[in-house]
Amino acid sequence: MKLTKKKGSLSLFFLFLLLAALVLTGCAGNTGADEGGVKKIGIIQIVEHPSLNTIREAIIAQLEQEGFKDGENIEIDYQNAQGEPSNLKTISQKFVTGEYDLIIAIATPSAQAVVGETKEIPIIFSACTDPIGAGIVTQLERPGGNVTGTSDAVSAEKIMSLALQITPEIEKIGALYNSGEANSVAVIKELKSFAQQQGLTVVDATVSNTSEVQQATLSLVGKVEAIFIPIDNTVASAMPVVAEVARQAKLPVYVGADSMVKDGGLATYGINYETLGRETGKMASRVLSGANPGEISVLTIEDVEIYINQETAEQIGIEIPEEILAEANIF
Ligand code: TRP
């Protein structure tokens, strides 16, 4: 009897040990799945220009607001391709082989590069003007797979209607863009059909990198009465150069984004990129909390506002109608 009793307490003791071990490994298991709780996020950006920087900062600020803080429970690896397509591939491959938990791709060329490298790691793209045309997703609603993100609705028609209100006399318009950027090509297509309806002539000036922007702008001087720049990353990163040429030639430059107005363009009808970045950050935080990107619909920011550079207007001798100024954001 004594022996059995001893045996009984001994097995109780082992049962307790077993339970304690289960509880301990159970706890460790929870954090272990997140590699100690810290998730690795790769941010890939095609080039440095003010709009993309605003977007990136807003994404990081929003993540923090949602409880994901760099250096604490997330680790952000930000890589900029400096406008070089070959860098995009190297960066994407680094994120994929490093088994990052989430990739955030800022602008179309970056998103195109990462979607080509992984079908598994969640990807949130940001500010892609035409995600379907660029081959990033096949549909906007619940796109499926590992990819979703945000889009900036840029309407060539709206921008050109504003242009015709400010400078009704224009007949020939120069289109300055990188023909390798799908985001620009989509907007230029719309520009050309609008121009045709309105009886305007479009003169193309295409570039393939930032160093060609000055020459391309100069090639339009004397040939057109205004310049149109879509939502083009290559031209945006050289915008001060364009603005200088245009200022000397007294040419109005109508652009696709507020940042390009700030950098010396004349006017746009554009979205708020801080808002777009915040929305991208919210999506990223949902995915970090376990949501499946393919089940989150692509969000297109549609709210547009007028942005005017009053200093540019004065320098090129253009008077902006009062009713436009009344509702515009002025730089
Ligand atoms: N929409 C651009 C793209 O699809 C990215 C972009 C965001 C951009 N803001 C901009 C380009 C401002 C030029 C200027 O790649």
Side-chain angles (χ1 to χ4, degrees), residues 49 51-52 55 107-109 127-129 152 181 183 231-233 236 257 259-260 273:
H49 67 67
S51 188
L52 301 189
I55 295 167
T108 300
C128 294
T129 303
D152 47 354
E181 287 194 33
N183 39 295
I231 193 81
D232 190 281
N233 295 291
S259 63
M260 292 192 273
Y273 284 94

Side-chain angles (χ1 to χ4, degrees), residues 143-184:
N146 58 329
V147 186
T148 191
T150 55
S151 173
D152 47 354
V154 179
S155 163
E157 200 171 317
K158 273 208 167 122
I159 299 167
M160 282 310 296
S161 301
L162 177 70
L164 290 173
Q165 265 179 282
I166 298 174
T167 45
E169 69 286 357
I170 56 180
E171 287 173 354
K172 286 188 251 61
I173 178 135
L176 179 60
Y177 63 104
N178 180 347
S179 47
E181 287 194 33
N183 39 295
S184 301

